[in-house]
Structure formats: structure tokens, C-alpha cells
């Protein structure tokens, strides 16, 4: 059996955990909102039409900040359509996804859903077809104290207290030719800077996210960030990153090492942002908002008929069904986000329900957990306190896309308040179990309180409507802690977590 040694130095602190690293994303796309979180005729629906079975799963998932309402959708969205009496809300065509939008869910309903799930609302403004004025109007409607026209309208619509939305995205993926209102970096940098500056004039304490690249494969990657930040640096707090991964051409070895690409993405954006910082002689350091990340079988959807010219309400779009291997990759991506938490201040798993999502639903029927649900929910629950970077001494394997990739990846967290800690691990080998000895002597742990793994003899096993519990967490058999050394055996293609107390 292959072996690895990991040593966790209590003083090697990356960052104190900001719960926003466990954010998610709800877009008006496919069945994420309608027939996802919202289905008034469902037996579990509350008076607002929200499915309470889904609310329970969202709480169990442990997602924190929720980005809303898009995504590509926001670039053609009129926020005013989604407030006020529901019987007067207009039906519109959503050009991004070729769907009909009923506007039965808007800021008011989604705000209540956030209260129900204990989530923080992160709002995106439309910089595709709209601009500064509508962003300021939305800000006044959402966050204004009663006494001005739009804040009073909110009060009349039933919300006396402001929503107090802290994080705002300045548009979405404006570098993408598919985006309604797509712009050059220069044009976007200018409109983003002006919008940000106007919003900060209204409230200097807002946290603003300027659009970075929609993927590291974009031809403008790097240069886009430089130009946009040179325009907007003083007025923004975050630059966004979006990345989706999938297995291609049956190359599971490369796919299992996808987090190396995410690491490269983060390092490139950090280097570019810091270059602009020094060029502008700024004292401020820009953070990354990795506000779309996930597994997405985009190539397959591109070839499908699901986005077509039939204008339908809530069509089934982007409903990927995830495997064990997908969950292992997702767990590893979350490890990477934590390893880089000093610069990645916020992140959103895209998306939450039905659309490339950890939670699935059937209209009038069940809701269930996809494989990817498990690493996210366990990491969100166990990762507390501070993130520590472990030193990992392990062999590598060859991949077509990334060259030599380490067989094991890991991150640890420690919570001084409760005296608890946690270690998260992946084994990327398709063939070998790996015995790992982990020096945890600096963590002051005396017992293993939880040891779980996501692994299956079939790395392509999935949970489906017909077989909703085919894949789940298993005990990580044989884990032991003695004399400050934790010993675990990681099965092939697995994600594991251990809690220590
Ligand atoms: O999450 C799905 C889509 O991916 C979003 O709408 C868009 O921002 C990205 O391209």
C-alpha cells in the first residue's frame, strides 16, 4: 500500500474562517427557483410557496451567503418586476436562458427565504442592459431607511426594516460574449468603477465585487482583471472568479487533479490584483470572491436541446447528476478554497437546487442529496476557527493536463474556542489505498470524534430519483489517534474528513 506523511503546524495559519467561504448561488435559471426552492402546490410548501423539505436540506448543507438572482439572468433583469403585489408582476422573456420568467419570486420573497434558511443575501446588479441609476434605485429600495420614495415603497410592500445587504456584485461575467450587454474590459472597468463609486457614496460600508474572468480559459484572462482593476481598484473590495470542471475524454486522472487548475487560477488573479495595487500605490488589498465554482458537464449541455427557442417557464436545464468522482473533486476544490482563504474571502458553490446542484427535487415529490452534497455539508459543519496549511509528503501520479499531481491533498482547521480541530483529505489514486500518518501533536487533540469518507467501489455511482441513497458517507474504518499521530487509510478516489476533540 502507498503511504504519505502529513504534518500540521499549529502556527501555520492561513486565515480565520469567514463563513462566507461556504456560500452558494440561486439563479432564476431552469428549476432552481421555480419547482426548486419555490413550489406553492407542494405538500411541504409554506405560505410563501417555499418548499420546507428543501429548506431543511439547505440548512443541512450549511451554505451561508447566497448570491442572487444571477448569473447570466441578471444581465437582462429588472429588479422592479419582482417586488410589490404578485398579481401585478409581469411575465418577461429571459434572453440568457431562453425561458419565461413569471416574477412570482423576487427580492421580497427571496429575502424571506433567506431568513427561513438563515442565509446572507448577496445581490447582483444588472450592468448588462442597465447601469448606475437602477443599481442605486435597488440599493435604496433594499437598504434605505424609511423616509425616501423607494425605501417607503419597500415598507408599503411589507418590509419595514431594510434588508441591509452587504455584498453586491457589479454585474455578471461581462467578459463573456454570451452575456447580454457583453463589454470590453475597458468599457466594463469604467461602468463598474462609476457604479461602485456611486454605490459607495450612498453607503461606504458596502462590499462590492467587480467581475473578473468567467474562466481561466478565456482569451482575455489576466488582462481583463488588470484593466478592470486599474479602473475600479479604489471603489471595489473583491474581484470575482468563476470556474467549472468536468471529466473530459474519459481522463479521470486529470479530472481528479482539477484543484491544481483552481490553484493556478487563484494565484494568477492574486498576482494581477497585487500588480495593480502596487502600480496604483494603493494600501488596500483586493480579495477574491470565487462566486461560481462547481462541477458542470458543460460540453454535454452545449450539445443538448435543452436551451432552445421554445419559451417555457422553468424548463429542465443544466440538471447534472453527480458521481462519487465528482464529489471527490468538489471536496478537493473546497480544500483548495480553504488553503487560499487568506485571499479568497468569499465563495459560492454554483448552484443550490436542481441546476448543477447538490440538492435535487421532483415537482410534487421528493427532494434528495446528490453525491456532492456530502463533502460540502461536512466541511461547512466541521471547519471552524482557523485554517492551517499542512505539509504533505506524498508521491505523485502523471496526468495529461497537469503533469505530476500529488496523490493526496489536505487541509486542516483548528478552533481555539472549542478545542476542536478537523482534517480534510482526498486520495486521487484510482487504484491504490493510501495509508497516511498525520502529525497532529500541535493541535492538542485527544480523540477522534468523527471519521467519515465518501468512496465507492464504482467511482461513477450516483444518487438518482429512483435510487436517492445509493451513495452516502461511510465510516472511515481503522482511523486511530495515538501519541499525537493520526493514522488513516484513504480508499482510492475518496474524500474524507476527521474531527478531533
Ligand atoms: O451557473 C450557471 C451560469 O454559469 C451562470 O449563469 C453564469 O454566470 C455562468 O456562466
Amino acid at each position: 500500500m502507498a503511504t504519505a506523511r502529513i504534518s500540521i503546524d499549529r502556527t501555520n495559519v492561513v486565515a480565520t474562517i469567514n463563513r462566507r467561504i461556504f456560500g452558494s448561488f440561486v439563479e432564476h435559471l431552469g428549476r432552481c427557483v421555480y419547482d426548486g426552492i419555490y413550489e406553492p402546490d407542494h405538500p411541504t410548501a409554506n405560505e410563501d410557496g417555499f418548499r420546507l423539505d428543501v429548506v431543511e436540506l439547505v440548512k443541512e448543507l450549511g451554505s451561508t451567503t447566497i448570491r442572487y438572482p444571477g448569473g447570466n439572468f441578471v444581465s437582462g433583469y429588472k429588479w422592479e418586476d419582482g417586488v410589490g403585489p404578485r398579481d401585478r408582476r409581469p411575465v418577461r422573456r429571459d434572453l440568457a436562458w431562453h425561458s419565461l420568467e413569471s416574477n412570482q419570486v423576487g427580492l421580497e420573497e427571496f429575502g424571506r427565504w433567506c431568513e427561513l434558511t438563515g442565509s446572507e443575501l448577496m445581490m447582483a446588479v444588472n450592468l448588462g442592459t442597465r447601469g448606475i441609476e437602477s443599481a442605486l434605485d435597488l440599493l435604496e429600495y433594499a437598504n434605505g431607511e424609511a423616509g425616501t420614495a423607494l425605501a417607503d415603497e419597500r415598507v408599503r410592500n411589507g418590509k419595514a426594516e431594510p434588508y441591509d445587504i452587504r455584498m453586491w456584485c457589479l454585474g455578471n461575467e461581462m467578459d463573456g460574449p454570451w452575456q447580454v450587454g457583453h463589454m470590453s474590459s475597458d468599457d466594463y472597468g469604467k461602468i463598474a468603477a462609476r457604479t461602485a463609486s456611486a454605490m459607495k457614496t450612498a453607503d461606504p460600508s458596502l462590499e462590492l465585487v467587480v467581475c473578473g474572468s468567467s474562466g481561466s480559459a478565456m482569451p482575455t484572462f489576466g488582462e481583463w482583471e488588470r484593466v478592470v482593476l486599474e479602473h475600479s481598484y479604489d471603489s471595489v473590495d473583491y474581484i470575482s472568479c468563476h470556474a467549472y470542471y468536468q471529466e473530459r475524454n474519459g481522463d479521470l486522472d486529470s479530472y481528479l487533479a482539477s484543484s491544481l487548475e483552481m490553484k493556478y487560477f487563484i494565484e494568477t488573479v492574486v498576482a494581477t490584483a497585487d500588480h495593480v495595487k502596487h502600480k496604483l500605490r494603493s494600501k488596500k488589498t483586493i480579495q477574491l470572491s470565487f462566486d461560481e465554482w462547481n462541477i458542470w458537464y458543460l460540453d454535454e449541455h452545449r450539445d443538448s436541446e435543452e436551451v432552445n427557442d421554445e419559451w417555457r417557464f422553468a424548463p429542465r436545464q443544466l440538471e447534472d447528476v453527480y458521481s462519487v468522482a465528482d464529489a471527490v473533486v468538489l471536496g478537493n476544490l473546497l480544500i483548495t478554497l480553504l488553503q487560499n482563504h487568506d485571499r479568497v474571502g468569499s465563495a459560492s458553490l454554483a448552484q443550490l437546487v436542481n441546476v448543477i446542484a447538490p440538492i435535487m427535487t421532483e415537482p410534487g415529490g421528493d427532494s434528495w442529496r446528490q453525491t456532492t452534497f456530502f463533502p460540502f455539508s461536512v466541511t461547512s459543519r466541521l471547519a471552524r476557527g482557523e485554517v492551517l496549511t499542512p505539509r504533505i509528503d506524498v508521491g505523485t501520479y502523471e496526468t495529461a493536463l497537469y503533469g505530476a499531481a500529488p496523490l493526496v491533498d489536505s487541509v486542516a482547521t483548528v478552533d481555539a474556542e472549542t478545542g476542536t480541530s478537523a482534517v480534510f483529505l482526498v486520495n486521487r489514486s484510482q487504484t491504490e489505498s493510501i495509508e497516511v500518518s498525520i502529525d497532529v501533536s500541535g493541535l492538542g487533540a485527544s480523540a477522534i470524534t468523527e471519521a467519515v469518507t465518501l468512496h465507492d467501489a464504482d467511482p461513477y455511482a450516483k444518487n438518482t430519483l429512483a435510487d436517492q441513497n445509493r451513495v452516502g458517507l461511510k465510516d472511515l474504518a481503522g482511523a486511530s489517534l495515538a501519541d499525537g499521530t493520526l493514522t488513516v487509510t484513504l480508499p482510492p478516489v475518496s474524500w474524507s474528513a476527521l474531527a478531533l476533540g
Side-chain angles (χ1 to χ4, degrees):
M1 191 191 307
T3 58
R5 299 181 75 79
I6 294 181
S7 139
I8 301 172
D9 179 350
R10 175 65 185 86
T11 63
N12 204 359
V13 176
V14 178
T16 299
I17 295 174
N18 182 333
R19 301 291 304 158
R20 283 178 173 164
I21 200 78
F22 301 112
S24 187
F25 179 27
V26 166
E27 176 167 3
H28 285 244
L29 192 185
R31 299 192 308 124
C32 185
V33 173
Y34 305 106
D35 284 354
I37 65 171
Y38 174 84
E39 191 188 335
D41 295 333
H42 192 271
T44 70
N46 72 358
E47 60 288 357
D48 269 324
F50 289 124
R51 283 182 65 154
L52 296 181
D53 58 337
V54 175
V55 167
E56 285 314 307
L57 283 175
V58 169
K59 287 184 180 167
E60 184 187 327
L61 181 71
S63 54
T64 53
T65 318
I66 312 277
R67 184 165 174 254
Y68 176 84
N72 295 342
F73 172 80
V74 80
S75 295
Y77 183 54
K78 293 192 174 77
W79 66 266
E80 302 89 332
D81 290 347
V83 298
R86 277 163 139 185
D87 56 356
R88 284 194 234 142
R89 296 198 191 164
V91 172
R92 303 266 189 206
R93 279 185 165 190
D94 161 34
L95 301 182
W97 301 104
H98 282 250
S99 306
L100 290 177
E101 171 58 51
S102 69
N103 283 303
Q104 288 305 295
V105 174
L107 172 58
E108 280 154 18
E109 293 73 29
F110 195 68
R112 287 199 288 277
W113 183 86
C114 284
E115 278 172 27
L116 209 56
T117 53
S119 316
E120 179 191 357
L121 175 50
M122 171 184 184
M123 194 80 192
V125 302
N126 174 354
L127 292 188
T129 58
R130 309 187 87 186
I132 303 175
E133 186 177 20
S134 79
L136 288 179
D137 284 352
L138 175 55
L139 179 61
E140 181 189 334
Y141 184 93
N143 283 5
E145 295 289 345
T148 66
L150 289 169
D152 286 349
E153 191 182 326
R154 182 198 69 232
V155 175
R156 280 196 300 280
N157 287 335
K159 180 82 168 81
E161 293 305 316
Y163 290 97
D164 193 27
I165 300 169
R166 299 286 87 216
M167 279 189 91
W168 295 78
C169 302
L170 302 162
N172 176 70
E173 292 192 350
M174 299 309 299
D175 63 324
W178 57 86
Q179 200 68 215
V180 174
H182 160 63
M183 292 171 206
S184 68
S185 52
D186 205 41
D187 286 348
Y188 172 68
K190 285 177 187 161
I191 179 84
R194 290 188 198 125
T195 309
S197 149
M199 290 175 80
K200 288 247 170 130
T201 303
D203 180 354
S205 70
L206 297 177
E207 296 169 63
L208 302 182
V209 186
V210 75
C211 291
S213 294
S214 49
S216 63
M218 295 299 288
T220 48
F221 179 55
E223 181 64 359
W224 172 274
E225 280 79 0
R226 181 188 69 74
V227 174
V228 164
L229 282 175
E230 283 189 10
H231 283 293
S232 62
Y233 201 90
D234 286 345
S235 315
V236 302
D237 306 279
Y238 295 86
I239 184 154
S240 72
C241 304
H242 292 180
Y244 293 97
Y245 301 93
Q246 69 169 102
E247 183 182 344
R248 291 193 165 92
N249 310 317
D251 181 5
L252 183 54
D253 274 341
S254 293
Y255 178 50
L256 288 166
S258 296
S259 65
L260 297 180
E261 199 283 336
M262 181 185 251
K263 183 170 178 281
Y264 156 79
F265 194 148
I266 293 168
E267 286 168 357
T268 307
V269 177
V270 165
T272 308
D274 289 351
H275 164 73
V276 176
K277 169 183 174 168
H278 296 299
K279 189 170 173 194
L280 300 180
R281 309 282 188 269
S282 175
K283 292 203 162 36
K284 182 169 85 180
T285 300
I286 292 286
Q287 291 273 302
L288 275 50
S289 169
F290 220 118
D291 48 40
E292 287 188 32
W293 68 274
N294 204 347
I295 317 303
W296 180 5
Y297 283 82
L298 187 54
D299 295 355
E300 285 73 355
H301 290 289
R302 271 203 193 104
D303 298 340
S304 86
E305 293 291 307
E306 63 186 28
V307 178
N308 56 36
D309 285 332
E310 287 172 42
W311 296 86
R312 295 165 294 170
F313 290 102
R316 288 182 188 256
Q317 292 176 337
L318 318 187
E319 299 202 1
D320 282 354
V321 180
Y322 293 120
S323 68
V324 170
D326 294 326
V328 171
V329 172
L330 183 138
N332 202 163
L333 295 172
L334 201 42
I335 286 173
T336 306
L337 291 170
L338 286 168
Q339 287 168 341
N340 293 280
H341 197 17
D342 52 335
R343 295 305 297 268
V344 183
S346 178
S348 300
L349 175 69
Q351 299 193 5
L352 188 58
V353 181
N354 290 330
V355 173
I356 45 173
I359 298 168
M360 297 300 289
T361 69
E362 256 320 280
D366 292 342
S367 53
W368 66 96
R369 300 165 189 80
Q370 293 235 46
T371 55
T372 52
F373 184 98
F374 300 104
F376 191 99
S377 65
V378 174
T379 309
S380 175
R381 178 167 55 81
L382 295 183
R384 302 278 155 172
E386 294 172 314
V387 182
L388 308 177
T389 315
R391 198 166 55 76
I392 306 170
D393 184 5
V394 67
T396 58
Y397 70 108
E398 272 310 301
T399 68
L401 291 183
Y402 311 112
L407 284 160
V408 169
D409 199 9
S410 176
V411 76
T413 61
V414 62
D415 187 356
E417 250 174 56
T418 58
T420 58
S421 47
V423 185
F424 306 93
L425 301 128
V426 290
N427 176 2
R428 295 173 176 146
S429 170
Q430 286 195 56
T431 51
E432 292 200 66
S433 291
I434 302 183
E435 189 184 82
V436 190
S437 326
I438 311 168
D439 177 357
V440 291
S441 52
L443 301 181
S446 55
I448 301 172
T449 55
E450 188 172 335
V452 290
T453 190
L454 193 86
H455 157 77
D456 197 279
D458 174 8
Y460 294 104
K462 296 172 175 165
N463 291 340
T464 58
L465 172 61
D467 195 356
Q468 296 170 12
N469 298 306
R470 163 70 182 80
V471 177
L473 293 168
K474 297 175 182 153
D475 285 341
L476 182 60
S480 66
L481 174 63
D483 302 326
T485 300
L486 184 60
T487 307
V488 294
T489 301
L490 306 176
V493 191
S494 65
W495 171 93
S496 305
L498 294 108
L500 310 176

